[in-house]
Amino acid sequence: MNPIAKAREAVTHSAHTVPNRRAGGHDTAPNSGRDPVLALRGAAVRVGGRTLWSGVDLRIGSGEFTAVLGPNGVGKSTMIKVLLGALPAAAGEVRVLGTRPGQANDRIGYLPQRRSFDASLRIRGVDVVRMGLDGDRWGVPLPFPSARRQAARARVDEVIELVGASAYAHRPIGQCSGGEQQRLLIAQALIRRPELLLLDEPLDSLDLPNQSAVAALIGRISHQEGVSVVMVAHDVNPILHHLDRVVYLAEGGAAAGTPEEVITSGTLTRLYGTPVEVLRTSDGRLVVVGQPEAPAVHTDRHSGGPS
Amino acid sequence: MMLAESGAPAWSWNLLTDFQEMWSYPFMVNAFRAGAIVAVVAAVVGWFVVLRRQTFAAHTVSAVAFPGAAGALLLGVSAVYGYFTLCVAAALVIAALRGGGDHEESALTGTVQAFLLASGFLFTALYRGLLEGPQTILFGTFLGITSSQVTVLTVVGAVVLAALALLGRPLLFASVDPKVAAGRGVPVRALSVVFLVLLGAATAETSQITGTLLVFALMVIPAATAQVLTPRPALSLALAVLLAFAATWLGLTAAYYSPYPLGFFVTTIAFAGYLLALGWRSLREVLSRRAVATPAAREVTA
Ligand SMILES: Nc1ncnc2c1ncn2[C@@H]1O[C@H](COP(=O)(O)OP(=O)(O)OP(=O)(O)O)[C@@H](O)[C@H]1O
Ligand SMILES: [Mg+2]
């Protein structure tokens, strides 16, 4: 077992997150001696003959929590696909966990965008979580008790406990609410103790209290267990306190850095080429005004969803 | 379809003598053997069909079994070859029509299915050798299952089950959660093609017992019933096999001792099981809601 995983295993989970751990100030990519978890240099991507974004430079160190922001259709999910090796980068260099994308997928936990299970799907939450552990193995497990089986079961219980899904993990997953399903899916992504989590809009379909609870959970996993997190988000506010860096994608380019550097009127105006204003409310929330489709505003995609 | 020209056999309620009586006829032994094999294969494949929501594909494949069998008879070869050839071919066509998409080309598939059914009807009209017209192909029979047919069913069934034993876990992953499975390196597309071929083979097997129109009796109903009863994958798979097996053997027994066709019994028994399962589940839901409502009642049920 690698040292990171060991360290992660040693961590006991306390329920509280440190509100603003960026005060320590490792804002530039840390551990410059070691390979960064993620490194993009001049990366660009094309789908259907159209360049979505280009010239993206990004370095993410271990244990960092990064948000990918930008308007609908700008290519956020596509960026996740590039990191998984499902789509080649059109230009530039992309390194994930020290290798080419797709080579280290077994060390990555992935949560795709907007995935809800059919209400009639009769498979329990625990089974879906378990699939993350050994669902890709050929053959079927023998129905006899064994040490490996016991270890697998213990690990499943452990992650389910970690995300706080014990109460409904044994119900058919189709009967769980959107938020409950999302927690189970985060457990599924975590079960192999990944070094990198790629989460595509995990807060989608959650109500506000659940958004902050899940955001806190992901922040805790990232900072206490040393897992690097890349999270596509629609709204930066629920995760703002946990973030180490943000990447704003725009047609053509991108801006990456700490939230203080990037979410400013100047940077976003330059990036989008139209006047963008960033306002800070008295409770510390950010409101981005004038962006092609402001991510801080709740659009009707969220209304009427399950809680 | 009636067995009983030589005096109807009578059910005695003494299971031992009843089964001894049935199994004194080699064709009945063959029927029970074939039924057992087909029940297991159909239930296991059907469990994945229900989970993957591919019942329309299964329906199409089973509908093509009819022109397959009729065409084989017209060409003068055994119907067995017709079943397997056309079912597997249909499965491959469905896989090809899907292309890169996740969805079935349902309109096109339905169109081709209607045409093939019509062709099957034409073949039976041209052949004229079937005493009862297309009925036995459509609704199944247990008469005249030969030993060599049982051998073919066993070999093909063993291959299908072995393939599923090898592919089962990734197939389950790909069925429930294709995006994450693909991210983990599970060959989702290839698995879905292979599964359609297995579905074709299993449908060809099942058609020979239940008839092509009643394939669902063994392929979908037991699996659906099992999934109603429990959300545990291993348990519901085992239950599906058990239910399909019970429906087949009970159906064979009922068909032997009565003048009515086998397909009717197998389907009715399986359907009754499904209704009972639904009833049992809603009863349990009502009870557990009561138990939550009154804490005293909870102590009793817990
Ligand atoms: N396979 C494809 N072929 C052609 N175009 C595609 C393909 N996949 C995605 N696109 C296009 O690429 C663009 C980016 O898609 P992507 O899913 O990455 O957007 P996104 O930033 O995740 O948006 P959202 O916030 O809505 O999730 C979209 O305009 C989409 O239409
Ligand atoms: Mg997206």
Side-chain angles (χ1 to χ4, degrees):
Chain A
M1 187 181 290
N2 68 42
I4 299 173
K6 226 179 233 165
R8 227 175 289 137
E9 203 170 30
V11 171
T12 56
H13 34 271
S14 69
H16 302 288
T17 49
V18 186
N20 199 346
R21 55 177 299 284
R22 275 170 284 112
H26 57 279
D27 283 335
T28 51
N31 313 329
S32 34
R34 286 225 320 256
D35 263 353
V37 171
L38 212 67
L40 276 73
R41 259 217 319 271
V45 77
R46 292 170 70 81
V47 287
R50 189 161 59 95
T51 300
L52 291 180
W53 38 261
S54 57
V56 175
D57 293 304
L58 183 65
R59 276 171 79 84
I60 295 174
S62 68
E64 280 193 313
F65 189 166
T66 306
V68 179
L69 300 162
N72 283 139
V74 78
K76 304 184 294 294
S77 301
T78 309
M79 176 181 251
I80 300 287
K81 281 184 199 141
V82 169
L83 297 179
L84 281 169
L87 195 79
E93 198 195 357
V94 179
R95 308 278 297 169
V96 178
L97 294 170
T99 66
R100 282 187 291 123
Q103 301 286 303
N105 279 8
D106 54 340
R107 294 190 281 153
I108 297 177
Y110 170 46
L111 185 110
Q113 182 173 13
R114 237 167 300 150
R115 192 166 42 129
S116 65
F117 293 96
D118 194 290
S120 62
L121 181 65
R122 300 280 295 170
I123 288 285
R124 297 171 304 170
V126 274
D127 301 316
V128 175
V129 174
R130 172 71 190 263
M131 282 171 205
L133 185 66
D134 56 9
D136 54 347
R137 245 186 244 148
W138 302 104
V140 283
L142 295 173
F144 309 116
S146 70
R148 179 194 246 184
R149 201 174 145 89
Q150 232 161 19
R153 194 167 290 174
R155 178 64 190 151
V156 170
D157 290 344
E158 190 186 0
V159 275
I160 287 175
E161 182 82 34
L162 179 71
V163 300
S166 308
Y168 42 82
H170 287 264
R171 289 219 300 261
I173 196 159
Q175 289 172 18
C176 292
S177 78
E180 291 169 346
Q181 291 185 13
Q182 206 65 283
R183 278 173 195 259
L184 287 164
L185 292 174
I186 292 171
Q188 185 204 45
L190 279 174
I191 193 163
R192 273 206 204 164
R193 306 177 195 281
E195 291 157 55
L196 173 63
L197 270 183
L198 301 177
L199 310 174
D200 200 344
E201 304 215 17
L203 305 184
D204 203 47
S205 91
L206 302 187
D207 57 13
L208 281 177
N210 264 303
Q211 282 191 7
S212 44
V214 170
L217 167 72
I218 295 167
R220 194 174 85 214
I221 289 159
S222 165
H223 297 139
Q224 294 187 352
E225 313 216 351
V227 182
S228 309
V229 177
V230 174
M231 173 167 155
V232 176
H234 196 63
D235 176 3
V236 72
N237 283 305
I239 47 175
L240 191 59
H241 294 301
H242 312 284
L243 281 182
D244 295 304
R245 45 189 54 235
V246 300
V247 182
Y248 253 95
L249 292 180
E251 216 174 309
T258 64
E260 288 84 356
E261 287 163 16
V262 177
I263 313 178
T264 61
S265 304
T267 311
L268 293 185
T269 299
R270 236 174 298 128
L271 181 64
Y272 289 110
T274 58
V276 175
E277 211 175 333
V278 177
L279 308 170
R280 189 174 280 272
T281 62
S282 57
D283 60 349
R285 295 167 61 83
L286 292 176
V287 183
V288 181
V289 187
Q291 190 208 333
E293 192 249 300
V297 175
H298 287 274
T299 61
D300 55 2
R301 284 208 302 158
H302 289 290
S303 64
S307 62
Chain B
M1 184 125 307
M2 259 173 62
L3 175 72
E5 269 75 35
S6 59
W11 177 252
S12 72
W13 287 111
N14 181 342
L15 288 183
L16 196 67
T17 52
D18 286 336
F19 272 90
Q20 265 172 356
E21 136 113 42
M22 277 190 286
W23 287 351
S24 63
Y25 298 97
F27 76 87
M28 276 317 280
V29 174
N30 279 345
F32 274 86
R33 279 188 190 145
I37 296 158
V38 163
V40 174
V41 174
V44 174
V45 172
W47 189 81
F48 282 99
V49 168
V50 172
L51 196 74
R52 295 168 64 85
R53 273 149 238 292
Q54 283 190 322
T55 42
F56 186 67
H59 177 66
T60 305
V61 173
S62 64
V64 233
F66 171 58
L73 291 175
L74 189 61
L75 291 176
V77 293
S78 163
V80 177
Y81 301 111
Y83 282 119
F84 283 111
T85 311
L86 246 80
C87 285
V88 173
L92 287 172
V93 169
I94 293 175
L97 285 182
R98 268 186 186 193
D102 294 336
H103 298 284
E104 288 170 36
E105 287 283 347
S106 48
L108 190 53
T109 312
T111 312
V112 176
Q113 178 189 325
F115 170 70
L116 283 170
L117 271 178
S119 309
F121 195 46
L122 177 69
F123 296 159
T124 52
L126 288 174
Y127 177 56
R128 292 174 194 283
L130 291 169
L131 287 176
E132 302 163 36
Q135 201 191 353
T136 53
I137 301 180
L138 288 175
F139 296 104
T141 177
F142 60 99
L143 299 172
I145 294 175
T146 61
S147 297
S148 68
Q149 204 177 344
V150 174
T151 311
V152 172
L153 290 176
T154 313
V155 171
V156 174
V159 171
V160 170
L161 289 179
L164 278 176
L166 183 68
L167 308 178
R169 196 158 32 170
L171 182 64
L172 179 65
F173 197 5
S175 309
V176 172
D177 206 349
K179 279 187 188 169
V180 175
R184 276 286 164 75
V186 174
V188 176
R189 285 286 321 281
L191 275 180
S192 108
V193 173
V194 171
F195 179 69
L196 278 168
V197 172
L198 296 179
L199 171 63
T203 307
E205 296 225 336
T206 314
S207 304
Q208 296 172 43
I209 296 293
T210 61
T212 62
L213 281 187
L214 300 178
V215 162
F216 275 21
L218 287 184
M219 190 160 272
V220 172
I221 305 179
T225 309
Q227 291 188 19
V228 164
L229 288 175
T230 173
R232 292 166 176 269
L235 188 61
S236 73
L237 188 58
L239 261 178
V241 170
L242 199 71
L243 289 167
F245 182 79
T248 311
W249 275 34
L250 285 175
L252 277 170
T253 310
Y256 178 83
Y257 283 105
S258 78
Y260 306 112
L262 171 67
F264 165 76
F265 284 114
V266 174
T267 312
T268 307
I269 293 165
F271 185 59
Y274 184 65
L275 290 183
L276 284 177
L278 282 182
W280 186 73
R281 188 171 76 177
S282 23
L283 189 72
R284 233 177 34 157
E285 271 164 17
V286 169
L287 286 181
S288 69
R289 223 174 287 146
R290 279 242 190 98
V292 171
T294 58
R298 174 190 262 165
E299 308 243 324
V300 175
T301 49

